[in-house]
Amino acid sequence: MVRSENGLIYSYTATSHSKDLISWSPTKIITPKDQNLNFSSPGNVIRFEDEWILSLQTYPRPGLGDKDPVMYGTSDARIFIMRSKDLENWSVPELLMVKGRDIKEADMGRMIDPYIVEDKDEKGKWWCFYKQNGVSMSYSYDLKNWKFCCNSQSGENVTVLTENEEYILFHSPHNGIGIKRSTNLEKWKDWGDLIVLGQKDWNWAKGRITAGTVINLSDNPKFGKYLMFFHGSGPKTEQEGDFDKNASIGIAWSEDLTTWGWPIKVSN
């Protein structure tokens, strides 16, 4: 969530809930107001032991005013988790030392867009995917002590599913949502066409479609499909000013990850 307050731009992480994906509760901000932090871009929520774990990033933009040109997060951006027992009350954010505890925070480098998923073969082993040198990957067994593994070519805003002995990775190139598949996290193959949904008819997303998060609800009798939540901005491009000034969250669905539907296939 991005807000203009007293002429300055702040980013927050907030929650909202729904029983039908149509009517949503008012947003509840769960992170502090601080331009030097700007907690944002939540990746996903996992169940770990007896807690819920939310992954998110900082996106520092100190001094950014609502009349200023587009400004991206500084090199101080890092990735974090928050903990909750009930999905309502959340802990103070904890820095993820994904390069290992022997690497100081100042030396970790800029990193954003975390997403945590359990290893498909080894239960209790958790992978954190994040944007740095393409997509980087680190693993942990306790979400506290991490070991860096590797990186691979990819766009940003990575999310990952594990299905049929494969990892399915969704990522954001310059525009749209791409899919890659891998059996071992080392060799990835592009799969399917670039997903742009109804962008050509949507003024609110003509600038860019990005940040597609996909969850598999195929076995849920109420939905029976994959659901994608995504970020749309427009009608201007990000460089022209609609980076987060005119930004929305959209929803789409699919039975096979190739053919997609959405609520209204018309402009606006």
Side-chain angles (χ1 to χ4, degrees):
M1 171 185 284
V2 178
R3 281 185 171 180
S4 174
E5 301 179 32
N6 297 319
L8 295 177
I9 300 297
Y10 295 88
S11 296
Y12 300 94
T13 296
T15 61
S16 180
H17 55 83
S18 173
K19 293 182 178 180
D20 57 11
L21 302 180
I22 298 173
S23 300
W24 293 83
S25 68
T27 54
K28 176 184 177 182
I29 292 174
I30 61 172
T31 54
K33 175 181 176 179
D34 188 339
Q35 280 193 316
N36 292 302
L37 293 173
N38 280 338
F39 285 102
S40 53
S41 192
N44 62 328
V45 176
I46 63 168
R47 186 68 175 175
F48 179 76
E49 296 180 348
D50 63 343
E51 294 180 309
W52 298 102
I53 305 294
L54 167 68
S55 56
L56 71 169
Q57 69 180 33
T58 53
Y59 204 70
R61 296 191 291 180
L64 179 63
D66 55 15
K67 304 297 183 183
D68 293 335
V70 170
M71 177 181 179
Y72 298 105
T74 70
S75 60
D76 293 324
R78 298 292 186 271
I79 56 177
F80 291 73
I81 59 171
M82 297 173 70
R83 301 172 184 266
S84 176
K85 296 287 188 180
D86 56 10
L87 296 177
E88 292 287 343
N89 301 287
W90 293 90
S91 69
V92 172
E94 305 170 27
L95 177 68
L96 291 182
M97 304 294 289
V98 287
K99 294 296 187 69
R101 291 197 173 274
D102 55 333
I103 304 297
K104 296 180 180 179
E105 178 181 352
D107 298 328
M108 291 169 61
R110 185 182 190 269
M111 52 182 67
I112 57 174
D113 300 336
Y115 192 91
I116 299 175
V117 65
E118 192 169 24
D119 189 277
K120 69 179 179 64
D121 299 315
E122 186 177 350
K123 188 173 178 60
K125 181 179 183 179
W126 294 89
W127 289 93
C128 182
F129 293 74
Y130 50 98
K131 181 184 178 182
Q132 188 180 78
N133 300 319
V135 59
S136 287
M137 293 160 269
S138 300
Y139 66 88
S140 173
Y141 292 91
D142 59 7
L143 304 187
K144 295 179 180 179
N145 297 286
W146 293 87
K147 183 176 178 61
F148 176 74
C149 167
C150 46
N151 64 282
S152 182
Q153 184 177 356
S154 173
E156 58 188 358
N157 300 116
V158 162
T159 68
V160 181
L161 297 178
T162 55
E163 292 183 13
N164 302 320
E165 300 302 315
E166 273 191 317
Y167 295 97
I168 306 174
L169 181 149
F170 302 85
H171 68 105
S172 301
H174 178 69
N175 179 62
I177 310 299
I179 300 178
K180 295 175 179 283
R181 291 178 179 261
S182 174
T183 58
N184 57 16
L185 297 179
E186 295 178 4
K187 297 180 180 179
W188 294 88
K189 292 184 178 180
D190 292 323
W191 183 87
D193 296 328
L194 185 69
I195 301 167
V196 293
L197 306 171
Q199 185 180 33
K200 65 181 179 62
D201 298 317
W202 296 340
N203 283 334
W204 59 271
K206 279 188 176 178
R208 189 185 184 196
I209 283 180
T210 181
T213 294
V214 178
I215 56 176
N216 186 354
L217 295 181
S218 299
D219 294 332
N220 185 311
K222 186 174 182 178
F223 299 103
K225 293 176 173 59
Y226 293 91
L227 293 184
M228 176 192 286
F229 299 89
F230 63 93
H231 171 274
S233 56
K236 296 179 180 179
T237 65
E238 291 185 353
Q239 294 75 19
E240 291 171 333
D242 280 350
F243 172 50
D244 52 14
K245 182 178 180 181
N246 292 314
S248 304
I249 296 175
I251 186 171
W253 52 81
S254 176
E255 295 182 356
D256 57 9
L257 299 180
T258 57
T259 302
W260 293 86
W262 46 88
I264 302 175
K265 293 189 176 183
V266 295
S267 176
N268 299 323

